[in-house]
Amino acid sequence: MPRMSSFRLPCIAAALALATSGCMHPPASASASHPPTAATLVPEAAPAPETAAWWYRNGALHAQRLGAGKADARNVIVFLGDGMSLTTVAAARILAGQREGRSGEEHQLAWEHFPYTALSKTYNTDHQTPDSAGTMTAIATGVKTHMGAIGVAAGTVDDCRGSRQRQLLSWLRLASSAGMATGIVTTARLSHATPAAAYAHAPSREWESDRETPAEALAAGCRDIAQQLLDFAPGRGPRVLLGGGLGRFLPESADAGAAPGRRRDGRDLTREWTERNPGGVVARTTAQLRQAAAAPAVLGLFATDHMPYHHDRDPGEGGTPDLAEMTRIAIERLSREPEGFVLLVESARIDHAHHAGNAYRALDETIALSRAVEAALAATSPQDTLVVVTADHAHTLSFAGYPARGNPILGTVRGRLSPDGRADGEMLDSLGLPYTTLSYANGSGYAGSSASQPGGPKRFPHKPGGFSPALGRPDLAAVDTTDPDYLQEALVPMHDETHGGEDVGVWAQGPGSEAFRGTLEQNVLYHLIVQAVPRLRQRLCAAGTCDGGGVPVRLPDPADFRD
């Protein structure tokens, strides 16, 4: 694949500049109201294989046809429920309602009140069922890519040298270059797939620290993901960075909390970050975060690895903040900036709980995300802030049977179709055994004995190490399936439950939200966001990526957007 710079069309003469006004820096109204050229309206047939330039251009054209460029958003908040399938949303909605004493089905999570919705197609360029790195790269850069890719166009996960020529520009780095404030909030490691795709470039998501980055990749000039958080010009990077993963930022000789640091190069990236951000504060507890709320910049690293599940966290001053509080503090800090802001908020552990086969924690994390969205809505105005809620991919969680209205969503199926015909009668399978409403297609909840737990129902955490064939289904009659540590049954035995390949939901509110409709390729989300914000459109046009109608259709070169 050619260098990114080969995709740019510079203005080389005054006459050409007049004919192609996208090479100039138009005012906000120009990019929103200039009539599109005929060329803009014509999508291009996909080459084989698809190129980064094609993905970018066709995504831009789709967003333009949906009217994204007519908006005038000042701020953008993207909420990413990692692994938040539509089944997850439905089950979490019911659980949240049941916790409030209602039947649950009529309840709505915070984003289900939004006026505009869409579906997002999540496949990677090389896999039907995707991973979080390739999907978030599509959302963050406007280009679909391979499984495992962080901020680079499609290639292979071991191709360091080639990936350096395929780097992509994210809307977070674009916003920073445009003078907007930026921030990232996550319950995962800050160097993990979803947050990393907003700021880093690596062919493999595994290269989180120099310890995980192959020696040959380091020799070829690739750098680990964590250190790329320092690539912004001093004082110009994200003003708020909140999450876990302290170990990836500290040397092996340092105390990272539950374990030593993981860096072999001896670097303390937290110290380097404070040097690049005068007055910036590193927080490791809830109390320290609250004390740092007024600081010029905040780097919150609240766990050695991922942050604890919401169900398991220490809510005290010396513990870890929840997602809603981190979101509120981030918005309060970013709102002080004069040119607007772009914020990514990820509820990462929905995905981790699904992989563990534990529906309770997955749904609980989804409800925590709903509270974070509520906090954001209370702190912003729909007049100037575009709020988007979506997922990167789905999971294999199944919602099945014929439970009666109000039946506990984590319970066994009860309803009038039971053998005794009572509304609260226990439904039985063809073996005469009860079964749960929620189950997984695969994972560690398989009923056979494993190397770590006996045959029958499994409990969280379960690291099977290997399975023996199940001798039929377990009898759940005396099992509390609503217990937080119960693992839903899985049909296919696996160490970890897998992702699902179906579409995921997109919900939007605020300026530009009306363009979020229909079934979208996932990379189109980037273009809907970018085109809805005049400041981002203008910055892209200033770099020569816009057509005659002021629509940014040409793949930008990240080198043109250095702070």
Side-chain angles (χ1 to χ4, degrees):
M1 184 176 292
R3 288 181 174 269
M4 294 299 183
S5 57
S6 67
F7 297 126
R8 291 186 286 118
L9 299 178
C11 300
I12 59 176
L16 181 58
L18 290 172
T20 313
S21 60
C23 293
M24 297 185 290
H25 186 153
S29 61
S31 56
S33 60
H34 193 291
T37 63
T40 296
L41 295 174
V42 179
E44 297 175 353
E50 305 99 342
T51 65
W54 178 85
W55 281 115
Y56 193 90
R57 176 178 172 79
N58 267 29
L61 297 182
H62 195 160
Q64 183 225 20
R65 290 194 296 274
L66 292 171
K70 299 175 183 178
D72 189 17
R74 182 176 187 273
N75 312 310
V76 178
I77 306 174
V78 177
F79 285 93
L80 196 291
D82 198 314
M84 189 175 70
S85 63
L86 291 173
T87 303
T88 304
V89 172
R93 170 202 306 148
I94 293 171
L95 180 60
Q98 290 178 345
R99 286 178 172 178
E100 295 178 3
R102 301 195 301 275
S103 65
E105 296 84 1
E106 72 289 345
H107 186 72
Q108 286 188 304
L109 300 172
W111 55 85
E112 295 185 284
H113 298 281
F114 287 7
Y116 295 97
T117 60
L119 293 174
S120 172
K121 297 161 64 177
T122 64
Y123 63 93
N124 296 140
T125 56
D126 58 347
H127 283 80
Q128 285 183 339
T129 299
D131 86 317
S132 296
T135 51
M136 186 58 199
T137 293
I139 296 170
T141 71
V143 175
K144 284 214 176 198
T145 188
H146 66 265
M147 178 182 283
I150 297 290
V152 297
T156 60
V157 293
D158 58 354
D159 182 16
C160 162
R161 195 176 304 278
S163 72
R164 296 181 65 191
Q165 312 305 316
R166 298 194 301 272
Q167 294 184 359
L168 301 169
L169 178 71
S170 72
W171 37 248
L172 186 135
R173 286 195 174 272
L174 169 63
S176 180
S177 179
M180 300 175 71
T182 60
I184 298 174
V185 173
T186 180
T187 51
R189 298 187 295 268
L190 275 170
S191 54
H192 203 237
T194 297
Y199 65 85
H201 308 286
S204 173
R205 60 181 290 175
E206 305 299 331
W207 300 357
E208 292 189 50
S209 75
D210 64 321
R211 181 175 179 173
E212 289 94 11
T213 307
E216 56 270 23
L218 294 173
C222 281
R223 295 173 305 125
D224 64 86
I225 291 167
Q227 71 165 287
Q228 293 185 54
L229 262 182
L230 304 177
D231 285 354
F232 297 86
R236 289 292 306 276
R239 299 291 81 201
V240 182
L241 292 160
L242 307 177
L246 178 61
R248 268 68 176 180
F249 291 82
L250 294 180
E252 293 175 327
S253 59
D255 175 16
R262 296 179 62 86
R263 301 198 65 82
R264 291 174 172 167
D265 56 11
R267 296 174 63 181
D268 180 345
L269 299 186
T270 65
R271 178 182 56 78
E272 294 182 32
W273 180 86
T274 56
E275 291 172 351
R276 298 176 70 85
N277 293 274
V281 175
V282 177
R284 294 177 63 169
T285 66
T286 298
Q288 291 174 356
L289 174 62
R290 292 169 180 170
Q291 294 164 4
V298 183
L299 172 59
L301 290 164
F302 305 107
T304 303
D305 198 72
H306 300 305
M307 292 180 66
Y309 288 105
H310 184 270
H311 174 73
D312 304 311
R313 74 182 186 91
D314 175 359
E317 290 279 305
T320 56
D322 69 2
L323 191 63
E325 181 166 17
M326 291 193 292
T327 299
R328 178 182 56 78
I329 288 175
I331 293 173
E332 289 174 354
R333 171 61 192 85
L334 297 176
S335 295
R336 302 203 304 262
E337 301 293 332
E339 305 298 345
F341 64 83
V342 171
L343 173 64
L344 169 65
V345 179
E346 181 200 19
S347 183
R349 309 223 66 189
I350 300 170
D351 175 74
H352 300 160
H354 277 320
H355 281 308
N358 182 224
Y360 179 94
R361 284 176 175 79
L363 304 188
D364 191 56
E365 294 292 314
T366 305
I367 295 169
L369 176 62
S370 182
R371 288 193 291 268
V373 174
E374 289 174 351
L377 298 179
T380 59
S381 168
Q383 302 305 309
D384 64 7
T385 302
L386 171 62
V387 179
V388 180
V389 179
T390 189
D392 47 358
H393 55 75
H395 271 274
T396 72
L397 182 68
S398 173
F399 186 150
Y402 295 98
R405 175 80 181 269
N407 194 65
I409 190 64
L410 293 166
T412 54
V413 178
R414 291 175 176 272
R416 63 178 179 80
L417 297 182
S418 61
D420 55 16
R422 299 195 333 263
D424 63 346
E426 185 109 65
M427 303 277 286
L428 304 175
D429 69 6
S430 295
L431 301 174
L433 299 173
Y435 59 95
T436 55
T437 302
L438 301 180
S439 61
Y440 288 97
N442 56 47
S444 61
Y446 179 70
S449 63
S450 74
S452 58
Q453 293 190 24
K458 300 300 187 294
R459 291 185 62 79
F460 176 89
H462 180 210
K463 301 297 182 184
F467 280 102
S468 296
L471 302 176
R473 289 192 57 242
D475 187 351
L476 301 179
V479 176
D480 181 6
T481 63
T482 68
D483 186 284
D485 291 340
Y486 173 77
L487 298 190
Q488 279 64 32
E489 285 182 76
L491 174 65
V492 178
M494 299 187 73
H495 185 273
D496 292 298
E497 181 265 357
T498 71
H499 295 171
E502 66 268 31
D503 298 351
V504 296
V506 188
W507 297 263
Q509 171 183 291
S513 59
E514 63 275 8
F516 288 79
R517 61 185 190 272
T519 298
L520 308 171
E521 293 287 1
Q522 195 164 44
N523 64 301
V524 175
L525 301 182
Y526 160 96
H527 297 279
L528 294 173
I529 292 166
V530 167
Q531 292 184 29
V533 183
R535 197 168 188 87
L536 299 182
R537 296 199 306 265
Q538 292 168 13
R539 181 65 185 90
L540 286 167
C541 287
T545 73
C546 294
D547 66 4
V551 181
V553 296
R554 289 186 281 275
L555 188 67
D557 184 345
D560 291 339
F561 297 83
R562 303 294 186 205
D563 292 327

